[in-house]
Amino acid sequence: MSEPLLSVDDVSAAFGDARVLDSVSLAVRRGEFVGLVGPNGAGKTTLLRTINGVRDPDEGTVSVDGDRRADCSAREWSRRVATVPQDTSVSFSFRVADIVEMGRAPHRRRTQFGTTETDRRRIEDALELTNTADMRDRPIDELSGGERQRVFVARALAQDTPLLALDEPTASLDVNHQVEILRLVRELVGEGRAALAAIHDLELAARFCDRLALLSDAGIRAVGPPESVLRSEVLDPAFETTTATATNPVTGTPTVTAGAGDGTVVDGLGVDARRVHVVGGGQAGARAIATLRDAGHEPSAGVLRDGDLALETARSLDVPVATTPAVGPADPDAIAAAHDLAADAAVLVFADADIGPRQWTLDLAEGAPSTVLIEARPLAERLHAGERARGRYERLRERSETADLDALPSAVDTAVATAERPADD
């Protein structure tokens, strides 16, 4: 068997006293599409960030094509690994074509001015393959979450690397574009690349991936073909639930029903009807968290700042939460953690949340199956990102339930009943 393109050897990583990865080892070969699956908080994003060089492992090594990350500069590593991040917020109003062109930066000489013919060809191919060519001149902050997700896939393709590392590449996409993107990745690895992707939807992972790696409790618990990993005796302890597995009669690949027999699965989307993610702090966020817990829901929250009343409430109720320092921009790791927490929630509650220049609160809301808005303050007091962000919020309002805090449980129940992944508009 050929040598692996990607080798992860005994990698460990921790945040403070919390060990997120514990001696994780994994290999991915050329021509192989490996799906990284597991419960929220298992460390999937952290593992991908050690692979793409965003953070260094506390222990262990990561190598691509025989070259160790520790021996390569950031520029050299960017010619080996291209990333599609979970968080696609951008601080400036770049054109779509400019975002995709950024993928060519690792290949350019420092003295190079302008775009070469090779650059132009790679950019055009990436735009066409991801069906984003018709939006090339649009500002990135005018796009929906799903459209931006496709643009960042295009940027990774333009980077033209042997390894693709994708963190929830189908987040915010409608069903058609989910299949389209994963089919594209499948075709790309067939051309000699390799791909490792964190995928929340187990059935999509089974349909498109050669192998699955199940990450749970800081370690790899199973690796193999989808049919060998997606078995109840493997999944139940990892996800701490009861599952039922079967074979999809159309695709011939495994299907998984989580929470079998207790009514927690919403329309086969892999989201939990009891799970609600709260975005927004202060008194509104704190009351939303407490009210949902009292009503029998399982809330999570974030990103919340240190010292926030909502954070204190969440911790007192043992509610999972993504946190960031009290001052400064929200930490990217915290935003990624919030996406992880929201991934299996049936409803997102936008609790009087502020909208900053990066618009990550809107990104979270647009990726949810259903949303409930709490509007204790006028939008003008919460909007810090200009008119394009206002337009995104107005579109969110059109498809959301609205409620005051006293009526929040019933509004969430209504949203659960109609939960569906948002269209990629």
Side-chain angles (χ1 to χ4, degrees), residues 89 102 114 121 187 203 228 233 239 272 288 319 344 350 388:
S89 56
M102 291 175 189
R121 187 166 60 251
E187 292 172 356
E203 295 185 23
S228 72
E233 58 267 34
F239 286 89
D272 188 334
V319 166
D344 67 349
F350 203 87
R388 293 189 181 93

Side-chain angles (χ1 to χ4, degrees), residues 318-341:
D318 199 26
V319 166
V321 60
T323 65
T324 196
V327 296
D331 182 73
D333 282 336
I335 295 173
H339 277 278
D340 277 346
L341 288 172

